[in-house]
Amino acid sequence: MTRTVRVAAAQLGPISRDALRSDVVDRLLALLHRAHSHGAHVVVYPELALTTFFPRWWFDDWADVDAFFETEMPSIATKPLFDEAQRLGMGFSLGYAELVVDETTGERHRYNTSILVDRKGAVVGKYRKVHLPGHEEHEPWRAFQHLERRYFEPGDRFDVWRAFGGVVGMAICNDRRWPETYRVLGLQGCELAMIGYNTPIHYAPDPSQDTLAGFHNALVMQSGAYQNGMWVVGVAKGGVEEGVDALAQSMIIAPSGQIVAQCSTTADEVVVADCDLDRCAQYKRTLFDFDRYRRPETYGLITERRGAVPPPEETR
């Protein structure tokens, strides 16, 4: 008996700055129904799926920032999504901006978050983005800014959860570029990694990378899938949003590293694949049998050192 879960990658097109949450949730519901019509068991939505990608702007007033955040989940706006998914017997993962207020101190904590919801409508997992890209200070020289490091605190762990008949992990956007993300998930037996992203095609610090955005997107996720024997589902919010062109190319990747389904537009779109979780063992028990082949005693620098330090130059 195989453990096959039919997964839908639910890509979103652009969301305008003034879009109502209720209108966005209607779009999420339409994608949910489309996925259901294809027999999907679980739907993966993008990073920050409820709003435009607001870190592209500098805000002086934090009240303007907090308008993009959710203080509870489900919220009034998102409860219809939870209710309909439960009615249909479908699970989902959803990315959003999370605001946590300390009841004792009143201090506000803001995270770039994704949740995992099972087929009964219960939140079974929460992940907060670890690798925050971009910058903290106002840099008006850019065509648009990328202020995640100003608006979010980093998460501090990668967890996995038993769901949908297997072991499921989550990551968000820039996390997918770092091999440590997949390896830490893999060391917990992850069989299915769900990754939402918003990726501007123009990269201001080095525009020569712009033409490689799609290549790099696939490269890192395919490598992570293969080197850790897991399915990877990468889902975009793409297209031209508030004047910024963002990568689409949402995809589902097998443990072999092969792309088995991929979106072909930059709009709201669903692609579906049957993910046989038992296929993970083909790699976890052979080439990437961690217990047999890993040499953690030689990897100390990975956790001991943060930045690269080359050896000293020779003196003559």
Side-chain angles (χ1 to χ4, degrees), residues 179-215:
E180 294 89 346
T181 297
Y182 305 95
R183 185 48 47 92
V184 174
L185 292 175
L187 285 168
Q188 299 174 84
C190 183
E191 297 170 310
L192 175 61
M194 301 176 176
I195 306 174
Y197 59 91
N198 282 248
T199 299
I201 291 175
H202 175 59
Y203 182 54
D206 180 12
S208 71
Q209 297 182 32
D210 293 0
T211 58
L212 298 170
F215 167 70

PDB file of all heavy atoms in Angstrom, residues 179-215:
ATOM      1  N   PRO A 179      20.894  25.642   1.731  1.00  0.00           N
ATOM      2  CA  PRO A 179      20.864  24.175   1.858  1.00  0.00           C
ATOM      3  C   PRO A 179      20.570  23.710   3.269  1.00  0.00           C
ATOM      4  O   PRO A 179      20.030  22.618   3.468  1.00  0.00           O
ATOM      5  CB  PRO A 179      22.263  23.748   1.404  1.00  0.00           C
ATOM      6  CG  PRO A 179      23.129  24.966   1.536  1.00  0.00           C
ATOM      7  CD  PRO A 179      22.220  26.130   1.268  1.00  0.00           C
ATOM      8  N   GLU A 180      20.908  24.548   4.265  1.00  0.00           N
ATOM      9  CA  GLU A 180      20.643  24.155   5.652  1.00  0.00           C
ATOM     10  C   GLU A 180      19.149  23.947   5.896  1.00  0.00           C
ATOM     11  O   GLU A 180      18.749  23.128   6.730  1.00  0.00           O
ATOM     12  CB  GLU A 180      21.177  25.228   6.619  1.00  0.00           C
ATOM     13  CG  GLU A 180      22.691  25.366   6.628  1.00  0.00           C
ATOM     14  CD  GLU A 180      23.210  26.358   5.600  1.00  0.00           C
ATOM     15  OE1 GLU A 180      22.436  26.762   4.687  1.00  0.00           O
ATOM     16  OE2 GLU A 180      24.390  26.746   5.704  1.00  0.00           O
ATOM     17  N   THR A 181      18.314  24.690   5.193  1.00  0.00           N
ATOM     18  CA  THR A 181      16.868  24.548   5.352  1.00  0.00           C
ATOM     19  C   THR A 181      16.438  23.112   5.094  1.00  0.00           C
ATOM     20  O   THR A 181      15.772  22.477   5.923  1.00  0.00           O
ATOM     21  CB  THR A 181      16.128  25.493   4.386  1.00  0.00           C
ATOM     22  OG1 THR A 181      16.440  26.844   4.725  1.00  0.00           O
ATOM     23  CG2 THR A 181      14.627  25.277   4.451  1.00  0.00           C
ATOM     24  N   TYR A 182      16.811  22.605   3.939  1.00  0.00           N
ATOM     25  CA  TYR A 182      16.396  21.252   3.557  1.00  0.00           C
ATOM     26  C   TYR A 182      17.063  20.193   4.434  1.00  0.00           C
ATOM     27  O   TYR A 182      16.450  19.189   4.783  1.00  0.00           O
ATOM     28  CB  TYR A 182      16.746  20.987   2.094  1.00  0.00           C
ATOM     29  CG  TYR A 182      16.184  22.007   1.138  1.00  0.00           C
ATOM     30  CD1 TYR A 182      16.943  23.099   0.729  1.00  0.00           C
ATOM     31  CD2 TYR A 182      14.898  21.882   0.622  1.00  0.00           C
ATOM     32  CE1 TYR A 182      16.439  24.044  -0.152  1.00  0.00           C
ATOM     33  CE2 TYR A 182      14.374  22.818  -0.265  1.00  0.00           C
ATOM     34  CZ  TYR A 182      15.150  23.897  -0.648  1.00  0.00           C
ATOM     35  OH  TYR A 182      14.646  24.823  -1.524  1.00  0.00           O
ATOM     36  N   ARG A 183      18.328  20.429   4.802  1.00  0.00           N
ATOM     37  CA  ARG A 183      19.038  19.420   5.573  1.00  0.00           C
ATOM     38  C   ARG A 183      18.460  19.280   6.981  1.00  0.00           C
ATOM     39  O   ARG A 183      18.307  18.166   7.487  1.00  0.00           O
ATOM     40  CB  ARG A 183      20.528  19.745   5.614  1.00  0.00           C
ATOM     41  CG  ARG A 183      21.429  18.697   6.286  1.00  0.00           C
ATOM     42  CD  ARG A 183      21.197  17.258   5.825  1.00  0.00           C
ATOM     43  NE  ARG A 183      21.107  17.053   4.404  1.00  0.00           N
ATOM     44  CZ  ARG A 183      22.113  16.755   3.596  1.00  0.00           C
ATOM     45  NH1 ARG A 183      23.326  16.642   4.088  1.00  0.00           N
ATOM     46  NH2 ARG A 183      21.897  16.552   2.308  1.00  0.00           N
ATOM     47  N   VAL A 184      18.117  20.422   7.616  1.00  0.00           N
ATOM     48  CA  VAL A 184      17.520  20.331   8.943  1.00  0.00           C
ATOM     49  C   VAL A 184      16.148  19.655   8.866  1.00  0.00           C
ATOM     50  O   VAL A 184      15.797  18.837   9.722  1.00  0.00           O
ATOM     51  CB  VAL A 184      17.423  21.717   9.605  1.00  0.00           C
ATOM     52  CG1 VAL A 184      16.671  21.638  10.925  1.00  0.00           C
ATOM     53  CG2 VAL A 184      18.819  22.281   9.850  1.00  0.00           C
ATOM     54  N   LEU A 185      15.381  19.966   7.834  1.00  0.00           N
ATOM     55  CA  LEU A 185      14.121  19.255   7.643  1.00  0.00           C
ATOM     56  C   LEU A 185      14.366  17.781   7.366  1.00  0.00           C
ATOM     57  O   LEU A 185      13.694  16.901   7.918  1.00  0.00           O
ATOM     58  CB  LEU A 185      13.327  19.880   6.496  1.00  0.00           C
ATOM     59  CG  LEU A 185      12.766  21.285   6.726  1.00  0.00           C
ATOM     60  CD1 LEU A 185      12.107  21.805   5.452  1.00  0.00           C
ATOM     61  CD2 LEU A 185      11.766  21.301   7.874  1.00  0.00           C
ATOM     62  N   GLY A 186      15.349  17.498   6.513  1.00  0.00           N
ATOM     63  CA  GLY A 186      15.659  16.118   6.172  1.00  0.00           C
ATOM     64  C   GLY A 186      16.108  15.299   7.356  1.00  0.00           C
ATOM     65  O   GLY A 186      15.800  14.104   7.460  1.00  0.00           O
ATOM     66  N   LEU A 187      16.839  15.912   8.275  1.00  0.00           N
ATOM     67  CA  LEU A 187      17.299  15.204   9.473  1.00  0.00           C
ATOM     68  C   LEU A 187      16.146  14.881  10.421  1.00  0.00           C
ATOM     69  O   LEU A 187      16.334  14.124  11.374  1.00  0.00           O
ATOM     70  CB  LEU A 187      18.362  16.033  10.197  1.00  0.00           C
ATOM     71  CG  LEU A 187      19.737  16.031   9.523  1.00  0.00           C
ATOM     72  CD1 LEU A 187      20.637  17.096  10.133  1.00  0.00           C
ATOM     73  CD2 LEU A 187      20.392  14.652   9.645  1.00  0.00           C
ATOM     74  N   GLN A 188      14.989  15.428  10.151  1.00  0.00           N
ATOM     75  CA  GLN A 188      13.789  15.081  10.922  1.00  0.00           C
ATOM     76  C   GLN A 188      12.853  14.181  10.116  1.00  0.00           C
ATOM     77  O   GLN A 188      11.705  13.979  10.500  1.00  0.00           O
ATOM     78  CB  GLN A 188      13.054  16.353  11.344  1.00  0.00           C
ATOM     79  CG  GLN A 188      13.879  17.270  12.246  1.00  0.00           C
ATOM     80  CD  GLN A 188      13.167  18.578  12.507  1.00  0.00           C
ATOM     81  OE1 GLN A 188      12.331  18.684  13.403  1.00  0.00           O
ATOM     82  NE2 GLN A 188      13.500  19.590  11.721  1.00  0.00           N
ATOM     83  N   GLY A 189      13.364  13.659   8.999  1.00  0.00           N
ATOM     84  CA  GLY A 189      12.589  12.719   8.201  1.00  0.00           C
ATOM     85  C   GLY A 189      11.575  13.353   7.285  1.00  0.00           C
ATOM     86  O   GLY A 189      10.648  12.671   6.815  1.00  0.00           O
ATOM     87  N   CYS A 190      11.726  14.632   6.961  1.00  0.00           N
ATOM     88  CA  CYS A 190      10.740  15.314   6.124  1.00  0.00           C
ATOM     89  C   CYS A 190      10.575  14.612   4.774  1.00  0.00           C
ATOM     90  O   CYS A 190      11.561  14.290   4.094  1.00  0.00           O
ATOM     91  CB  CYS A 190      11.153  16.767   5.904  1.00  0.00           C
ATOM     92  SG  CYS A 190       9.961  17.730   4.959  1.00  0.00           S
ATOM     93  N   GLU A 191       9.326  14.406   4.396  1.00  0.00           N
ATOM     94  CA  GLU A 191       9.001  13.786   3.108  1.00  0.00           C
ATOM     95  C   GLU A 191       8.315  14.761   2.150  1.00  0.00           C
ATOM     96  O   GLU A 191       8.270  14.495   0.946  1.00  0.00           O
ATOM     97  CB  GLU A 191       8.083  12.589   3.338  1.00  0.00           C
ATOM     98  CG  GLU A 191       8.735  11.478   4.160  1.00  0.00           C
ATOM     99  CD  GLU A 191       7.754  10.406   4.580  1.00  0.00           C
ATOM    100  OE1 GLU A 191       6.677  10.763   5.123  1.00  0.00           O
ATOM    101  OE2 GLU A 191       8.058   9.214   4.375  1.00  0.00           O
ATOM    102  N   LEU A 192       7.788  15.844   2.683  1.00  0.00           N
ATOM    103  CA  LEU A 192       7.066  16.813   1.854  1.00  0.00           C
ATOM    104  C   LEU A 192       7.301  18.205   2.426  1.00  0.00           C
ATOM    105  O   LEU A 192       6.874  18.503   3.544  1.00  0.00           O
ATOM    106  CB  LEU A 192       5.561  16.480   1.861  1.00  0.00           C
ATOM    107  CG  LEU A 192       4.613  17.442   1.145  1.00  0.00           C
ATOM    108  CD1 LEU A 192       4.948  17.540  -0.341  1.00  0.00           C
ATOM    109  CD2 LEU A 192       3.164  16.994   1.348  1.00  0.00           C
ATOM    110  N   ALA A 193       8.010  19.047   1.662  1.00  0.00           N
ATOM    111  CA  ALA A 193       8.308  20.415   2.092  1.00  0.00           C
ATOM    112  C   ALA A 193       7.456  21.386   1.284  1.00  0.00           C
ATOM    113  O   ALA A 193       7.446  21.343   0.048  1.00  0.00           O
ATOM    114  CB  ALA A 193       9.783  20.740   1.913  1.00  0.00           C
ATOM    115  N   MET A 194       6.746  22.263   1.995  1.00  0.00           N
ATOM    116  CA  MET A 194       5.873  23.249   1.369  1.00  0.00           C
ATOM    117  C   MET A 194       6.518  24.622   1.503  1.00  0.00           C
ATOM    118  O   MET A 194       6.801  25.066   2.619  1.00  0.00           O
ATOM    119  CB  MET A 194       4.511  23.232   2.050  1.00  0.00           C
ATOM    120  CG  MET A 194       3.814  21.888   2.001  1.00  0.00           C
ATOM    121  SD  MET A 194       2.258  21.899   2.940  1.00  0.00           S
ATOM    122  CE  MET A 194       1.655  20.235   2.585  1.00  0.00           C
ATOM    123  N   ILE A 195       6.736  25.301   0.367  1.00  0.00           N
ATOM    124  CA  ILE A 195       7.485  26.549   0.358  1.00  0.00           C
ATOM    125  C   ILE A 195       6.745  27.591  -0.477  1.00  0.00           C
ATOM    126  O   ILE A 195       6.623  27.447  -1.697  1.00  0.00           O
ATOM    127  CB  ILE A 195       8.903  26.346  -0.222  1.00  0.00           C
ATOM    128  CG1 ILE A 195       9.639  25.223   0.512  1.00  0.00           C
ATOM    129  CG2 ILE A 195       9.691  27.644  -0.173  1.00  0.00           C
ATOM    130  CD1 ILE A 195      10.985  24.869  -0.093  1.00  0.00           C
ATOM    131  N   GLY A 196       6.265  28.651   0.168  1.00  0.00           N
ATOM    132  CA  GLY A 196       5.674  29.765  -0.563  1.00  0.00           C
ATOM    133  C   GLY A 196       6.701  30.855  -0.789  1.00  0.00           C
ATOM    134  O   GLY A 196       7.617  31.031   0.010  1.00  0.00           O
ATOM    135  N   TYR A 197       6.549  31.613  -1.875  1.00  0.00           N
ATOM    136  CA  TYR A 197       7.516  32.679  -2.137  1.00  0.00           C
ATOM    137  C   TYR A 197       6.903  33.852  -2.888  1.00  0.00           C
ATOM    138  O   TYR A 197       5.903  33.729  -3.587  1.00  0.00           O
ATOM    139  CB  TYR A 197       8.758  32.162  -2.874  1.00  0.00           C
ATOM    140  CG  TYR A 197       8.539  31.504  -4.227  1.00  0.00           C
ATOM    141  CD1 TYR A 197       8.585  32.231  -5.412  1.00  0.00           C
ATOM    142  CD2 TYR A 197       8.350  30.126  -4.324  1.00  0.00           C
ATOM    143  CE1 TYR A 197       8.435  31.624  -6.651  1.00  0.00           C
ATOM    144  CE2 TYR A 197       8.206  29.498  -5.556  1.00  0.00           C
ATOM    145  CZ  TYR A 197       8.236  30.243  -6.717  1.00  0.00           C
ATOM    146  OH  TYR A 197       8.083  29.632  -7.933  1.00  0.00           O
ATOM    147  N   ASN A 198       7.511  35.042  -2.680  1.00  0.00           N
ATOM    148  CA  ASN A 198       7.315  36.258  -3.471  1.00  0.00           C
ATOM    149  C   ASN A 198       8.712  36.690  -3.891  1.00  0.00           C
ATOM    150  O   ASN A 198       9.495  37.141  -3.046  1.00  0.00           O
ATOM    151  CB  ASN A 198       6.699  37.379  -2.628  1.00  0.00           C
ATOM    152  CG  ASN A 198       5.205  37.246  -2.388  1.00  0.00           C
ATOM    153  OD1 ASN A 198       4.410  38.032  -2.879  1.00  0.00           O
ATOM    154  ND2 ASN A 198       4.830  36.253  -1.601  1.00  0.00           N
ATOM    155  N   THR A 199       9.046  36.559  -5.153  1.00  0.00           N
ATOM    156  CA  THR A 199      10.425  36.811  -5.591  1.00  0.00           C
ATOM    157  C   THR A 199      10.467  37.851  -6.700  1.00  0.00           C
ATOM    158  O   THR A 199      10.128  37.547  -7.854  1.00  0.00           O
ATOM    159  CB  THR A 199      11.083  35.500  -6.073  1.00  0.00           C
ATOM    160  OG1 THR A 199      11.131  34.566  -4.997  1.00  0.00           O
ATOM    161  CG2 THR A 199      12.496  35.762  -6.571  1.00  0.00           C
ATOM    162  N   PRO A 200      10.849  39.094  -6.391  1.00  0.00           N
ATOM    163  CA  PRO A 200      11.029  40.092  -7.446  1.00  0.00           C
ATOM    164  C   PRO A 200      12.108  39.621  -8.427  1.00  0.00           C
ATOM    165  O   PRO A 200      13.153  39.118  -8.013  1.00  0.00           O
ATOM    166  CB  PRO A 200      11.471  41.339  -6.692  1.00  0.00           C
ATOM    167  CG  PRO A 200      11.079  41.111  -5.266  1.00  0.00           C
ATOM    168  CD  PRO A 200      11.158  39.635  -5.056  1.00  0.00           C
ATOM    169  N   ILE A 201      11.847  39.805  -9.691  1.00  0.00           N
ATOM    170  CA  ILE A 201      12.824  39.379 -10.690  1.00  0.00           C
ATOM    171  C   ILE A 201      14.033  40.314 -10.705  1.00  0.00           C
ATOM    172  O   ILE A 201      15.169  39.871 -10.899  1.00  0.00           O
ATOM    173  CB  ILE A 201      12.160  39.295 -12.079  1.00  0.00           C
ATOM    174  CG1 ILE A 201      11.159  38.117 -12.085  1.00  0.00           C
ATOM    175  CG2 ILE A 201      13.205  39.136 -13.183  1.00  0.00           C
ATOM    176  CD1 ILE A 201      10.364  38.000 -13.355  1.00  0.00           C
ATOM    177  N   HIS A 202      13.824  41.600 -10.466  1.00  0.00           N
ATOM    178  CA  HIS A 202      14.944  42.544 -10.412  1.00  0.00           C
ATOM    179  C   HIS A 202      15.593  42.481  -9.030  1.00  0.00           C
ATOM    180  O   HIS A 202      14.922  42.634  -8.003  1.00  0.00           O
ATOM    181  CB  HIS A 202      14.475  43.964 -10.700  1.00  0.00           C
ATOM    182  CG  HIS A 202      15.551  44.987 -10.549  1.00  0.00           C
ATOM    183  ND1 HIS A 202      16.720  44.958 -11.279  1.00  0.00           N
ATOM    184  CD2 HIS A 202      15.646  46.068  -9.722  1.00  0.00           C
ATOM    185  CE1 HIS A 202      17.486  45.973 -10.931  1.00  0.00           C
ATOM    186  NE2 HIS A 202      16.862  46.657  -9.975  1.00  0.00           N
ATOM    187  N   TYR A 203      16.906  42.266  -9.016  1.00  0.00           N
ATOM    188  CA  TYR A 203      17.663  42.197  -7.770  1.00  0.00           C
ATOM    189  C   TYR A 203      18.626  43.378  -7.751  1.00  0.00           C
ATOM    190  O   TYR A 203      19.663  43.366  -8.415  1.00  0.00           O
ATOM    191  CB  TYR A 203      18.419  40.873  -7.677  1.00  0.00           C
ATOM    192  CG  TYR A 203      19.193  40.687  -6.399  1.00  0.00           C
ATOM    193  CD1 TYR A 203      18.578  40.820  -5.159  1.00  0.00           C
ATOM    194  CD2 TYR A 203      20.553  40.380  -6.425  1.00  0.00           C
ATOM    195  CE1 TYR A 203      19.291  40.654  -3.977  1.00  0.00           C
ATOM    196  CE2 TYR A 203      21.274  40.192  -5.251  1.00  0.00           C
ATOM    197  CZ  TYR A 203      20.634  40.337  -4.037  1.00  0.00           C
ATOM    198  OH  TYR A 203      21.336  40.172  -2.863  1.00  0.00           O
ATOM    199  N   ALA A 204      18.262  44.412  -7.006  1.00  0.00           N
ATOM    200  CA  ALA A 204      18.983  45.687  -7.060  1.00  0.00           C
ATOM    201  C   ALA A 204      20.477  45.576  -6.736  1.00  0.00           C
ATOM    202  O   ALA A 204      21.301  46.230  -7.389  1.00  0.00           O
ATOM    203  CB  ALA A 204      18.310  46.699  -6.138  1.00  0.00           C
ATOM    204  N   PRO A 205      20.911  44.770  -5.743  1.00  0.00           N
ATOM    205  CA  PRO A 205      22.348  44.711  -5.444  1.00  0.00           C
ATOM    206  C   PRO A 205      23.191  44.117  -6.574  1.00  0.00           C
ATOM    207  O   PRO A 205      24.396  44.375  -6.638  1.00  0.00           O
ATOM    208  CB  PRO A 205      22.414  43.825  -4.193  1.00  0.00           C
ATOM    209  CG  PRO A 205      21.077  43.989  -3.552  1.00  0.00           C
ATOM    210  CD  PRO A 205      20.118  44.088  -4.703  1.00  0.00           C
ATOM    211  N   ASP A 206      22.584  43.299  -7.448  1.00  0.00           N
ATOM    212  CA  ASP A 206      23.335  42.696  -8.551  1.00  0.00           C
ATOM    213  C   ASP A 206      22.378  42.348  -9.688  1.00  0.00           C
ATOM    214  O   ASP A 206      21.930  41.216  -9.815  1.00  0.00           O
ATOM    215  CB  ASP A 206      24.078  41.437  -8.082  1.00  0.00           C
ATOM    216  CG  ASP A 206      24.880  40.784  -9.203  1.00  0.00           C
ATOM    217  OD1 ASP A 206      25.042  41.410 -10.274  1.00  0.00           O
ATOM    218  OD2 ASP A 206      25.319  39.633  -9.028  1.00  0.00           O
ATOM    219  N   PRO A 207      22.029  43.325 -10.536  1.00  0.00           N
ATOM    220  CA  PRO A 207      21.057  43.091 -11.600  1.00  0.00           C
ATOM    221  C   PRO A 207      21.461  42.023 -12.609  1.00  0.00           C
ATOM    222  O   PRO A 207      20.609  41.529 -13.361  1.00  0.00           O
ATOM    223  CB  PRO A 207      20.957  44.474 -12.280  1.00  0.00           C
ATOM    224  CG  PRO A 207      21.373  45.443 -11.228  1.00  0.00           C
ATOM    225  CD  PRO A 207      22.435  44.736 -10.449  1.00  0.00           C
ATOM    226  N   SER A 208      22.741  41.631 -12.619  1.00  0.00           N
ATOM    227  CA  SER A 208      23.149  40.573 -13.545  1.00  0.00           C
ATOM    228  C   SER A 208      22.456  39.247 -13.230  1.00  0.00           C
ATOM    229  O   SER A 208      22.409  38.345 -14.076  1.00  0.00           O
ATOM    230  CB  SER A 208      24.668  40.380 -13.505  1.00  0.00           C
ATOM    231  OG  SER A 208      25.076  39.783 -12.282  1.00  0.00           O
ATOM    232  N   GLN A 209      21.928  39.126 -12.015  1.00  0.00           N
ATOM    233  CA  GLN A 209      21.229  37.899 -11.627  1.00  0.00           C
ATOM    234  C   GLN A 209      19.778  37.867 -12.117  1.00  0.00           C
ATOM    235  O   GLN A 209      19.125  36.820 -12.044  1.00  0.00           O
ATOM    236  CB  GLN A 209      21.257  37.734 -10.112  1.00  0.00           C
ATOM    237  CG  GLN A 209      22.653  37.576  -9.531  1.00  0.00           C
ATOM    238  CD  GLN A 209      22.643  37.363  -8.030  1.00  0.00           C
ATOM    239  OE1 GLN A 209      21.722  36.771  -7.478  1.00  0.00           O
ATOM    240  NE2 GLN A 209      23.681  37.840  -7.354  1.00  0.00           N
ATOM    241  N   ASP A 210      19.264  38.988 -12.622  1.00  0.00           N
ATOM    242  CA  ASP A 210      17.846  39.058 -12.987  1.00  0.00           C
ATOM    243  C   ASP A 210      17.450  37.981 -13.995  1.00  0.00           C
ATOM    244  O   ASP A 210      16.402  37.342 -13.860  1.00  0.00           O
ATOM    245  CB  ASP A 210      17.517  40.437 -13.572  1.00  0.00           C
ATOM    246  CG  ASP A 210      17.621  41.556 -12.541  1.00  0.00           C
ATOM    247  OD1 ASP A 210      17.957  41.269 -11.369  1.00  0.00           O
ATOM    248  OD2 ASP A 210      17.382  42.725 -12.920  1.00  0.00           O
ATOM    249  N   THR A 211      18.276  37.794 -15.018  1.00  0.00           N
ATOM    250  CA  THR A 211      17.926  36.831 -16.062  1.00  0.00           C
ATOM    251  C   THR A 211      18.015  35.386 -15.577  1.00  0.00           C
ATOM    252  O   THR A 211      17.557  34.475 -16.262  1.00  0.00           O
ATOM    253  CB  THR A 211      18.839  36.995 -17.292  1.00  0.00           C
ATOM    254  OG1 THR A 211      20.211  36.815 -16.896  1.00  0.00           O
ATOM    255  CG2 THR A 211      18.658  38.377 -17.911  1.00  0.00           C
ATOM    256  N   LEU A 212      18.592  35.190 -14.399  1.00  0.00           N
ATOM    257  CA  LEU A 212      18.765  33.842 -13.853  1.00  0.00           C
ATOM    258  C   LEU A 212      17.735  33.514 -12.773  1.00  0.00           C
ATOM    259  O   LEU A 212      17.816  32.447 -12.155  1.00  0.00           O
ATOM    260  CB  LEU A 212      20.173  33.705 -13.266  1.00  0.00           C
ATOM    261  CG  LEU A 212      21.332  33.881 -14.243  1.00  0.00           C
ATOM    262  CD1 LEU A 212      22.649  33.955 -13.500  1.00  0.00           C
ATOM    263  CD2 LEU A 212      21.350  32.750 -15.256  1.00  0.00           C
ATOM    264  N   ALA A 213      16.768  34.392 -12.558  1.00  0.00           N
ATOM    265  CA  ALA A 213      15.827  34.207 -11.447  1.00  0.00           C
ATOM    266  C   ALA A 213      15.111  32.863 -11.522  1.00  0.00           C
ATOM    267  O   ALA A 213      15.016  32.131 -10.528  1.00  0.00           O
ATOM    268  CB  ALA A 213      14.816  35.352 -11.407  1.00  0.00           C
ATOM    269  N   GLY A 214      14.601  32.518 -12.686  1.00  0.00           N
ATOM    270  CA  GLY A 214      13.897  31.249 -12.835  1.00  0.00           C
ATOM    271  C   GLY A 214      14.820  30.053 -12.683  1.00  0.00           C
ATOM    272  O   GLY A 214      14.460  29.049 -12.062  1.00  0.00           O
ATOM    273  N   PHE A 215      16.012  30.159 -13.251  1.00  0.00           N
ATOM    274  CA  PHE A 215      16.993  29.081 -13.129  1.00  0.00           C
ATOM    275  C   PHE A 215      17.361  28.840 -11.673  1.00  0.00           C
ATOM    276  O   PHE A 215      17.380  27.701 -11.195  1.00  0.00           O
ATOM    277  CB  PHE A 215      18.230  29.434 -13.949  1.00  0.00           C
ATOM    278  CG  PHE A 215      19.422  28.554 -13.666  1.00  0.00           C
ATOM    279  CD1 PHE A 215      19.437  27.227 -14.055  1.00  0.00           C
ATOM    280  CD2 PHE A 215      20.533  29.070 -13.003  1.00  0.00           C
ATOM    281  CE1 PHE A 215      20.541  26.417 -13.787  1.00  0.00           C
ATOM    282  CE2 PHE A 215      21.627  28.275 -12.737  1.00  0.00           C
ATOM    283  CZ  PHE A 215      21.628  26.940 -13.130  1.00  0.00           C
TER     284      PHE A 215
END
